[in-house]
mmCIF file of all heavy atoms in Angstrom:
data_model
loop_
_atom_site.group_PDB
_atom_site.id
_atom_site.type_symbol
_atom_site.label_atom_id
_atom_site.label_comp_id
_atom_site.label_asym_id
_atom_site.label_seq_id
_atom_site.Cartn_x
_atom_site.Cartn_y
_atom_site.Cartn_z
ATOM 1 N N ASP A 389 33.203 1.057 18.781
ATOM 2 C CA ASP A 389 32.077 2.216 18.964
ATOM 3 C C ASP A 389 30.681 1.663 18.703
ATOM 4 O O ASP A 389 29.841 2.102 19.211
ATOM 5 C CB ASP A 389 32.548 3.392 17.983
ATOM 6 C CG ASP A 389 33.821 4.079 18.368
ATOM 7 O OD1 ASP A 389 34.056 4.290 19.542
ATOM 8 O OD2 ASP A 389 34.700 4.151 17.379
ATOM 9 N N VAL A 401 24.437 -1.663 5.783
ATOM 10 C CA VAL A 401 24.478 -0.353 5.435
ATOM 11 C C VAL A 401 24.897 0.432 6.726
ATOM 12 O O VAL A 401 25.736 1.435 6.570
ATOM 13 C CB VAL A 401 23.200 0.146 4.783
ATOM 14 C CG1 VAL A 401 23.108 1.582 4.674
ATOM 15 C CG2 VAL A 401 23.060 -0.469 3.425
ATOM 16 N N GLU A 417 27.024 -11.769 11.990
ATOM 17 C CA GLU A 417 26.042 -12.408 11.148
ATOM 18 C C GLU A 417 26.073 -13.871 11.418
ATOM 19 O O GLU A 417 27.188 -14.516 11.367
ATOM 20 C CB GLU A 417 26.283 -12.085 9.666
ATOM 21 C CG GLU A 417 25.399 -12.864 8.691
ATOM 22 C CD GLU A 417 24.119 -12.661 8.874
ATOM 23 O OE1 GLU A 417 23.458 -11.564 9.119
ATOM 24 O OE2 GLU A 417 23.334 -13.775 8.925
ATOM 25 N N PRO A 432 17.032 -12.552 -5.327
ATOM 26 C CA PRO A 432 16.796 -13.764 -6.085
ATOM 27 C C PRO A 432 15.244 -14.058 -6.559
ATOM 28 O O PRO A 432 15.058 -14.564 -7.580
ATOM 29 C CB PRO A 432 17.088 -14.966 -5.173
ATOM 30 C CG PRO A 432 17.003 -14.285 -3.696
ATOM 31 C CD PRO A 432 17.396 -12.819 -3.866
ATOM 32 N N LYS A 450 5.016 -13.468 -31.839
ATOM 33 C CA LYS A 450 4.308 -13.169 -32.931
ATOM 34 C C LYS A 450 3.908 -11.849 -33.013
ATOM 35 O O LYS A 450 3.776 -11.084 -34.084
ATOM 36 C CB LYS A 450 3.137 -14.169 -33.048
ATOM 37 C CG LYS A 450 2.621 -14.362 -34.572
ATOM 38 C CD LYS A 450 1.638 -15.467 -34.632
ATOM 39 C CE LYS A 450 1.147 -15.570 -36.143
ATOM 40 N NZ LYS A 450 0.201 -16.674 -36.239
ATOM 41 N N GLN A 479 28.749 -11.862 -2.093
ATOM 42 C CA GLN A 479 30.304 -11.661 -2.068
ATOM 43 C C GLN A 479 30.578 -10.177 -2.121
ATOM 44 O O GLN A 479 31.492 -9.685 -1.463
ATOM 45 C CB GLN A 479 30.845 -12.370 -3.407
ATOM 46 C CG GLN A 479 30.807 -13.909 -3.161
ATOM 47 C CD GLN A 479 31.151 -14.631 -4.385
ATOM 48 O OE1 GLN A 479 31.276 -14.049 -5.526
ATOM 49 N NE2 GLN A 479 31.563 -15.884 -4.314
ATOM 50 N N ALA A 500 24.631 -9.402 26.716
ATOM 51 C CA ALA A 500 24.732 -9.625 28.236
ATOM 52 C C ALA A 500 24.226 -8.333 28.855
ATOM 53 O O ALA A 500 23.646 -8.468 29.898
ATOM 54 C CB ALA A 500 26.184 -9.901 28.555
ATOM 55 N N ALA A 524 19.800 -5.533 14.059
ATOM 56 C CA ALA A 524 19.224 -5.626 12.635
ATOM 57 C C ALA A 524 19.025 -7.046 12.267
ATOM 58 O O ALA A 524 19.486 -7.513 11.293
ATOM 59 C CB ALA A 524 20.083 -4.861 11.598
ATOM 60 N N ALA A 527 13.534 -10.495 10.078
ATOM 61 C CA ALA A 527 12.228 -11.218 10.412
ATOM 62 C C ALA A 527 12.301 -12.580 9.561
ATOM 63 O O ALA A 527 13.113 -12.762 8.740
ATOM 64 C CB ALA A 527 11.132 -10.550 10.125
ATOM 65 N N THR A 672 6.157 -9.420 18.424
ATOM 66 C CA THR A 672 7.475 -9.872 17.917
ATOM 67 C C THR A 672 8.244 -8.658 17.185
ATOM 68 O O THR A 672 9.301 -9.056 16.663
ATOM 69 C CB THR A 672 7.290 -10.962 16.858
ATOM 70 O OG1 THR A 672 6.947 -10.345 15.648
ATOM 71 C CG2 THR A 672 6.247 -12.076 17.277
ATOM 72 N N SER A 683 14.312 1.120 24.330
ATOM 73 C CA SER A 683 14.153 1.608 25.685
ATOM 74 C C SER A 683 15.573 1.221 26.457
ATOM 75 O O SER A 683 15.561 1.670 27.689
ATOM 76 C CB SER A 683 13.028 0.886 26.348
ATOM 77 O OG SER A 683 12.972 -0.448 26.024
ATOM 78 N N HIS A 734 3.326 -9.552 -12.453
ATOM 79 C CA HIS A 734 2.978 -9.095 -13.648
ATOM 80 C C HIS A 734 1.465 -8.792 -13.892
ATOM 81 O O HIS A 734 0.787 -9.697 -13.618
ATOM 82 C CB HIS A 734 3.467 -10.013 -14.740
ATOM 83 C CG HIS A 734 3.196 -9.594 -16.152
ATOM 84 N ND1 HIS A 734 4.000 -8.583 -16.798
ATOM 85 C CD2 HIS A 734 2.202 -9.866 -17.080
ATOM 86 C CE1 HIS A 734 3.530 -8.340 -17.995
ATOM 87 N NE2 HIS A 734 2.535 -9.096 -18.166
ATOM 88 N N THR A 779 -3.032 9.629 -8.979
ATOM 89 C CA THR A 779 -2.435 10.624 -8.161
ATOM 90 C C THR A 779 -3.458 11.239 -7.222
ATOM 91 O O THR A 779 -4.557 11.458 -7.727
ATOM 92 C CB THR A 779 -1.649 11.624 -8.880
ATOM 93 O OG1 THR A 779 -2.375 12.073 -9.907
ATOM 94 C CG2 THR A 779 -0.216 11.138 -9.360
ATOM 95 N N GLY A 786 -2.671 21.719 -2.730
ATOM 96 C CA GLY A 786 -1.925 21.099 -3.811
ATOM 97 C C GLY A 786 -0.871 20.152 -3.686
ATOM 98 O O GLY A 786 -0.142 19.629 -4.372
ATOM 99 N N GLY A 795 1.216 -1.599 -13.633
ATOM 100 C CA GLY A 795 1.607 -1.721 -14.968
ATOM 101 C C GLY A 795 3.203 -1.856 -15.290
ATOM 102 O O GLY A 795 3.832 -2.000 -14.287
ATOM 103 N N ILE A 806 8.283 10.143 -5.437
ATOM 104 C CA ILE A 806 8.829 9.993 -4.044
ATOM 105 C C ILE A 806 9.791 11.211 -3.882
ATOM 106 O O ILE A 806 9.884 12.052 -2.949
ATOM 107 C CB ILE A 806 9.836 8.743 -3.863
ATOM 108 C CG1 ILE A 806 8.981 7.505 -4.053
ATOM 109 C CG2 ILE A 806 10.653 8.806 -2.481
ATOM 110 C CD1 ILE A 806 9.927 6.313 -4.138
ATOM 111 N N SER A 829 6.879 7.734 -18.409
ATOM 112 C CA SER A 829 6.876 8.765 -17.297
ATOM 113 C C SER A 829 5.888 9.850 -17.661
ATOM 114 O O SER A 829 5.303 10.557 -16.794
ATOM 115 C CB SER A 829 8.279 9.416 -17.091
ATOM 116 O OG SER A 829 8.718 10.151 -18.147
ATOM 117 N N VAL A 836 -1.437 13.815 -13.119
ATOM 118 C CA VAL A 836 -1.391 15.049 -12.319
ATOM 119 C C VAL A 836 -2.459 16.062 -13.074
ATOM 120 O O VAL A 836 -3.354 16.668 -12.480
ATOM 121 C CB VAL A 836 -0.084 15.714 -12.170
ATOM 122 C CG1 VAL A 836 -0.077 17.044 -11.489
ATOM 123 C CG2 VAL A 836 0.804 14.862 -11.486
ATOM 124 N N ASN A 841 -8.423 18.402 -14.220
ATOM 125 C CA ASN A 841 -9.214 18.461 -15.533
ATOM 126 C C ASN A 841 -8.339 19.149 -16.529
ATOM 127 O O ASN A 841 -8.880 19.959 -17.491
ATOM 128 C CB ASN A 841 -10.425 19.365 -15.244
ATOM 129 C CG ASN A 841 -11.343 18.693 -14.128
ATOM 130 O OD1 ASN A 841 -11.541 17.424 -14.206
ATOM 131 N ND2 ASN A 841 -11.767 19.452 -13.234
#
Side-chain angles (χ1 to χ4, degrees):
D389 294 311
V401 168
E417 171 55 48
K450 202 171 177 183
Q479 290 169 341
T672 80
S683 45
H734 183 77
T779 44
I806 300 166
S829 69
V836 173
N841 300 312

